[in-house]
Amino acid sequence: MDEHTAAPGAADPLPADTAPFAGRRAELAALAQAAARPAHGRGRVVVLAGRPGSGRTSLAVRYARSAAADYPDGLLYLRMSDPDGSLLEAGRAARTLLEQLGEQPEGLLTGADAEDPACEALRTALAARRVLVLLDDVREAAQVGPLLAEKTESLLLATTTGPLTGIEDIDPVILGGLDQPSAVGLLRDLIGATRVAADPVGTADLAESCAGRPAALRMMADWLKADQRVAITDAAEALHPAGEEDRTDRPRAHGARRPGR
């Protein structure tokens, strides 16, 4: 997919997209296909489901930027969980998103069971615009449902660990590990082509040991960059339980230590 930027003056609070990125062509295509499906009686929503460490946020940001030309009124971003693990309620989310659009909702939440008027204000704003809203780390459908505007050209893209039960007619894009060539390519970008070329077998082993998970690959790459004495093969061995028969006879690099020790 071609990379695009948001239209001049449009909102774009997305996280920076500067880290090395590899693979995910099939997943990007699946997101584009899901975004093109017509909505069924509610706002347009796409769900990207993957375990923490799968690179779901990076992929969602990459897709949002690639699709920016289709959403000339802006790209919005909000993390739906606080650092302490608590959930961001729909009303708080709506107020923050309205601020990103340059609008302020009228009225305050008047009761524990009442819908925050900001939700309706946001739905109205989205119905009149064509924006892409990226909600990161959604935990419950209740965080998303009140934000969905009907009859809108805007798109809501939610990343989550699992299916969001409660939102009907959603076929989530499931995110697993990177394929082997992409995982090796990411390691090459992170630790350098020379080091990878010197140990292609160890690099493939490390990619497999990390199960293609971008977070694990980045962690091991950081360790390798911090200690040049550690061989890539040793990094792969560090991820396996001691005593595995096919690994006990491999030599360890001088001074090699497991990460975190």
Side-chain angles (χ1 to χ4, degrees), residues 6-251:
D12 182 9
L14 291 180
D17 185 20
T18 58
F21 185 91
R24 300 304 195 194
R25 290 184 178 274
E27 290 86 349
L28 285 168
L31 288 172
Q33 184 177 21
R37 296 191 187 108
H40 297 283
R42 45 137 177 83
R44 299 172 61 228
V45 57
V46 172
V47 173
L48 175 62
R51 297 177 62 184
S54 63
R56 64 191 184 192
T57 299
S58 296
L59 176 60
V61 170
R62 178 60 60 103
Y63 170 73
R65 293 202 183 282
S66 74
D70 295 328
Y71 301 95
D73 294 319
L75 307 175
L76 309 183
Y77 173 86
L78 187 60
R79 184 172 177 83
M80 298 298 286
S81 61
D82 289 328
D84 63 1
S86 59
L87 305 186
L88 189 67
E89 297 177 352
R92 289 175 56 198
R95 291 179 179 276
T96 301
L97 293 170
L98 283 167
E99 290 176 359
Q100 293 181 14
L101 287 171
E103 296 195 8
Q104 293 292 333
E106 296 181 0
L108 298 175
L109 184 63
T110 56
D113 297 327
E115 178 184 84
D116 192 317
C119 293
E120 182 178 358
L122 178 66
R123 294 194 298 267
T124 300
L126 294 180
R129 291 173 170 83
R130 189 178 177 94
V131 302
L132 189 155
V133 182
L134 171 51
L135 301 182
D136 195 15
D137 197 28
V138 173
R139 307 290 180 83
E140 298 177 355
Q143 294 177 282
V144 176
L147 310 181
L148 295 175
E150 296 183 8
K151 298 180 181 179
T152 177
E153 295 301 316
S154 293
L155 175 69
L156 193 152
L157 171 60
T159 72
T160 183
T161 300
L164 292 178
T165 55
I167 302 180
E168 298 180 355
D169 300 317
I170 293 295
D171 186 14
V173 176
I174 306 299
L175 191 61
L178 292 169
D179 57 55
Q180 182 81 344
S182 297
V184 169
L186 181 58
L187 286 171
R188 184 183 301 109
D189 291 338
L190 292 171
I191 64 178
T194 300
R195 202 167 180 187
V196 167
D199 190 0
V201 174
T203 302
D205 194 10
L206 178 58
E208 181 180 358
S209 298
C210 291
R213 296 189 301 271
L217 291 165
R218 294 180 190 280
M219 181 190 73
M220 300 307 293
D222 288 343
W223 178 39
L224 288 165
K225 288 188 293 185
D227 191 344
Q228 295 293 322
R229 298 173 300 174
V230 179
I232 297 177
T233 298
D234 291 300
E237 285 185 351
L239 296 178
H240 289 265
E244 279 194 7
E245 293 181 1
D246 60 340
R247 298 178 186 275
T248 51
D249 59 345
R250 292 186 179 182

